Amino acid sequence: MIYFVPDWDKDMSAGLSTDDLIGKIQAFISSDTEYRVIIKDYKPALRYFLHRYDLFEANYISIFDELQGNINQNQRNLALNDLNFQGPVTFSFTPFNILVYRNEELVGSVDLGDSSYISKVSHISHGETYMVENYDDRGFISNRDKYINGEFYYKEFLDVQGLWIFRCFKNKNCKVNKSNSRGLKQIFYESIEEIKNERLEMYYELLKYEDSIVVSISDKNLPYIQKSKFLKQMALSFFKNRITNNQKNKEYMTEIVLRSRAIIVDSKQNLLGFNGYDEKKKIHIMSPYDSRFELSRSHELKEELIYIDSRGMKSEDIIKSLDTLLSYVKTEISSIGSERVFKFIIRVASKNLISSFSNIVRNFLFEMFPEEVLIVEGIMPQLSGENSIDATLLEILNPKTQKVMQMMKSFEFHVINNDYELFKIINKTRLIIDLGRAPDLFTQILGISAGIPQINSTNTEYVQANKNGLIIRRTEELYQSLQYYLDSLKHWQEARMNSVQKIKKYSGPALRKKVNQILGEVNE
């Protein structure tokens, strides 16, 4: 049997899939291979998390569900009147949460999670929070945060009867309730990570010699993995930048590369970190994501949508790219008889960048069309919808001003917070551009699945020059790359067909086969 131990300590980064085992687990759900997922991380919204990533049907066990006695707990219908507020209270609904009042004094707030279940209840006295109850998505209190004088004191984890099992303090140390230890072997632990790894080792004790464990490696679990007596049965999965490059970690790495069953990395770039090790036959590259055959429908749409991921780019390169995009749009829509419509969706790392990059686009346009930009900015607030006033305003604009308005509306900056949002964009995308030093791997696999050409500045095993994309070394080459894929369908269709051929290579069955090969090769 294969056991998967993912790294789900936090929800996906910015709501996106960033754990390397999600795709691998998905690949095994519909197979005949025996597998099990051991969820070591505390996730009170676990059911919603699994559903979001198509893992709800997976064969899994949660160590916190077992520790807290929550196995096979049914969903409880929890209403506001069931909450632990003393005496009569009233509820005031806001766009962000629900405020709780007693005699016009604020005594609490209620936060809602996915599908609007009650996820967090804060208790307030004289303007200060003194307790926060965190609810499991099945409707019972899973842990409580205690505060003294507004300062966090400890978090206590509860069993299904509401009795505390252990408390973790501000300094990360944890203390176990002697009368309700739930099988924990110590009274004091240095951190919750020590508790998690103790429980994991208990599961490993039940493994057979021929069983394999595939583990996501991070800074937090690396010291425990190095000490585990089950290391010889483990395939260790290294993903993106989860391991800090320091001397202590290098010492751990030397030991685990030597003693582990296999090492899995997601890219050639991550492979470089293992260049100094002799155990080359143990180290394998494989995609952490599976490709889903769902081609984009961009060729059916008049609007040509170009998706640009700017997160890995330097600011000066982003500015150069914006200038290039504007120059291209200006040339194309100014051509006689042109009816082309463009939309550039630019993914940025944080909300504060949206305003600054929007201003850069505006300033570029102002340098080219100062009078027209001022006219457009004057009437834009009045264009609130498709009504007679809007039509009248648009009719009085000369063709040049209309083109400038079109250019201004072509650029959108987004902080993308979940997979679904990205899927919707990619489904309509004509071209993907990621000029960062390490292109986003999830987007690359998604682009292959959708059959979309990609422009990168770095070679990867997923995008190959003049096949399913282009590799450009300088930002100045971007203009010609846009012409290459957007001015005619010939090169675009060639890249699309090449992507279709790659889909099988990164499909779920291919991932499953690769995992089995990696574990089997080391056995031989």
Side-chain angles (χ1 to χ4, degrees):
M1 181 179 282
I2 300 174
Y3 291 84
F4 293 97
V5 186
D7 182 44
W8 294 342
D9 184 34
K10 297 178 180 177
D11 264 356
M12 306 295 86
S13 174
L16 297 170
S17 300
T18 59
D19 179 72
D20 45 328
L21 296 194
I22 284 181
K24 297 178 180 67
I25 295 167
Q26 288 171 339
F28 277 82
I29 289 176
S30 59
S31 75
D32 296 328
T33 306
E34 286 191 321
Y35 77 96
R36 197 171 202 189
V37 184
I38 304 177
I39 302 171
K40 65 180 176 62
D41 300 304
Y42 173 71
K43 299 193 75 63
L46 177 61
R47 271 56 46 185
Y48 287 99
F49 177 88
L50 294 173
H51 179 73
R52 184 192 312 160
Y53 293 101
D54 297 326
L55 299 174
F56 195 73
E57 301 301 323
N59 176 20
Y60 72 90
I61 186 71
S62 163
I63 67 169
F64 274 91
D65 276 358
E66 286 209 336
L67 181 62
Q68 296 179 285
N70 298 335
I71 297 294
N72 299 322
Q73 285 289 312
N74 294 323
Q75 186 87 23
R76 175 189 172 199
N77 292 323
L78 186 67
L80 291 174
N81 289 331
D82 296 324
L83 303 180
N84 299 325
F85 290 103
Q86 299 299 317
V89 294
T90 58
F91 298 98
S92 175
F93 293 81
T94 78
F96 308 103
N97 56 9
I98 302 168
L99 301 178
V100 187
Y101 292 91
R102 183 186 300 114
N103 298 328
E104 299 186 355
E105 179 187 359
L106 180 66
V107 295
S109 65
V110 180
D111 292 349
L112 304 180
D114 293 334
S115 299
S116 298
Y117 84 94
I118 294 172
S119 64
K120 183 171 74 173
V121 178
S122 301
H123 294 264
I124 301 169
S125 177
H126 303 295
E128 287 189 347
T129 299
Y130 66 90
M131 182 173 67
V132 175
E133 296 168 324
N134 298 293
Y135 279 78
D136 187 278
D137 57 13
R138 289 162 292 186
F140 52 85
I141 300 173
S142 182
N143 69 41
R144 285 191 292 246
D145 297 331
K146 293 293 185 70
Y147 294 80
I148 296 179
N149 297 325
E151 292 285 327
F152 174 78
Y153 183 39
Y154 63 72
K155 178 189 289 287
E156 60 181 10
F157 290 79
L158 313 176
D159 63 17
V160 286
Q161 281 77 40
L163 301 174
W164 71 277
I165 306 167
F166 66 92
R167 292 170 174 168
C168 293
F169 297 85
K170 191 174 182 179
N171 64 0
K172 308 298 183 185
N173 292 167
C174 300
K175 179 183 178 181
V176 174
N177 184 353
K178 292 180 182 179
S179 60
N180 190 34
S181 65
R182 303 287 302 183
L184 293 175
K185 298 177 181 178
Q186 302 171 200
I187 298 301
F188 295 99
Y189 292 86
E190 289 186 3
S191 69
I192 195 172
E193 295 300 315
E194 197 174 355
I195 293 175
K196 287 194 237 178
N197 284 283
E198 178 185 285
R199 302 296 287 194
L200 277 176
E201 291 288 308
M202 290 172 60
Y203 286 104
Y204 297 160
E205 293 281 358
L206 304 176
L207 267 59
K208 299 175 183 177
Y209 178 78
E210 63 270 19
D211 291 337
S212 301
I213 313 165
V214 183
V215 184
S216 293
I217 297 299
S218 67
D219 280 337
K220 287 186 176 181
N221 68 358
L222 187 58
Y224 298 100
I225 293 293
Q226 184 265 342
K227 292 185 291 186
S228 175
K229 61 183 178 181
F230 300 96
L231 183 53
K232 63 182 180 297
Q233 291 177 260
M234 294 183 183
L236 308 177
S237 185
F238 290 82
F239 180 63
K240 289 191 175 179
N241 301 312
R242 279 196 311 228
I243 296 292
T244 305
N245 186 20
N246 57 41
Q247 186 57 39
K248 195 64 178 175
N249 279 354
K250 288 179 181 178
E251 294 172 8
Y252 291 141
M253 294 279 285
T254 301
E255 182 75 13
I256 66 171
V257 171
L258 181 65
R259 292 175 47 219
S260 64
R261 190 167 192 171
I263 301 292
I264 301 172
V265 297
D266 61 340
S267 64
K268 289 180 180 177
Q269 187 176 34
N270 250 350
L271 183 63
L272 296 176
F274 292 88
N275 276 349
Y277 299 98
D278 296 328
E279 305 290 325
K280 293 297 182 185
K281 65 180 183 295
K282 287 187 177 182
I283 304 172
H284 309 265
I285 297 178
M286 71 176 297
S287 166
Y289 308 115
D290 67 323
S291 56
R292 311 284 176 92
F293 194 88
E294 189 174 343
L295 295 176
S296 80
R297 57 188 187 91
S298 62
H299 61 293
E300 303 172 5
L301 307 174
K302 180 179 180 181
E303 184 178 70
E304 299 176 49
L305 194 157
I306 295 90
Y307 171 78
I308 302 104
D309 192 338
S310 72
R311 294 173 302 161
M313 298 172 62
K314 297 178 180 177
S315 293
E316 56 266 31
D317 290 332
I318 297 174
I319 293 170
K320 287 181 183 177
S321 298
L322 292 174
D323 191 13
T324 301
L325 296 173
L326 278 164
S327 297
Y328 178 79
V329 174
K330 175 188 175 185
T331 300
E332 295 304 315
I333 68 175
S334 298
S335 300
I336 297 175
S338 174
E339 295 183 358
R340 297 179 72 178
V341 179
F342 294 93
K343 173 65 65 70
F344 297 94
I345 292 184
I346 298 145
R347 183 178 181 182
V348 294
S350 60
K351 288 184 178 180
N352 64 323
L353 292 174
I354 294 177
S355 176
S356 58
F357 287 140
S358 297
N359 286 335
I360 289 170
V361 171
R362 186 264 180 199
N363 291 338
F364 278 145
L365 282 168
F366 187 77
E367 289 178 8
M368 293 185 281
F369 310 102
E371 294 182 8
E372 289 76 13
V373 166
L374 292 176
I375 292 171
V376 171
E377 288 179 339
I379 66 171
M380 283 283 275
Q382 303 174 59
L383 301 177
S384 56
E386 295 183 4
N387 54 48
S388 58
I389 298 176
D390 292 346
T392 303
L393 284 169
L394 290 173
E395 285 175 4
I396 65 173
L397 298 179
N398 61 45
K400 185 177 180 182
T401 305
Q402 290 183 7
K403 296 290 186 184
V404 172
M405 177 181 287
Q406 184 181 334
M407 291 174 69
M408 291 180 73
K409 293 169 68 175
S410 295
F411 287 80
E412 294 182 7
F413 297 88
H414 292 255
V415 176
I416 298 175
N417 290 317
N418 57 68
D419 285 340
Y420 181 66
E421 186 179 353
L422 184 57
F423 287 148
K424 286 197 302 181
I425 293 170
I426 294 298
N427 184 247
K428 300 176 182 179
T429 292
R430 185 76 59 93
L431 180 65
I432 293 172
I433 301 172
D434 186 345
L435 302 181
R437 189 177 65 175
D440 182 67
L441 185 53
F442 184 61
T443 304
Q444 287 196 316
I445 296 296
L446 202 56
I448 291 172
S449 300
I452 303 170
Q454 305 184 48
I455 300 174
N456 297 148
S457 63
T458 304
N459 275 306
T460 71
E461 54 271 36
Y462 304 104
V463 175
Q464 296 175 304
N466 299 309
K467 290 188 176 181
N468 65 326
L470 292 176
I471 308 299
I472 63 176
R473 301 302 179 187
R474 297 178 297 113
T475 310
E476 288 76 12
E477 299 174 54
L478 180 58
Y479 194 102
Q480 289 74 25
S481 301
L482 293 168
Q483 291 177 316
Y484 186 81
Y485 281 125
L486 299 178
D487 286 3
S488 73
L489 283 176
K490 178 178 182 292
H491 299 301
W492 186 88
Q493 288 174 330
E494 289 172 351
R496 187 179 182 86
M497 291 306 299
N498 191 276
S499 290
V500 168
Q501 293 169 13
K502 286 180 177 290
I503 286 172
K504 186 176 180 181
K505 181 179 180 181
Y506 301 114
S507 66
L511 285 187
R512 186 169 65 244
K513 182 179 179 181
K514 180 76 170 177
V515 170
N516 285 324
Q517 285 178 342
I518 289 172
L519 299 175
E521 284 171 1
V522 181
N523 279 334
E524 294 173 356

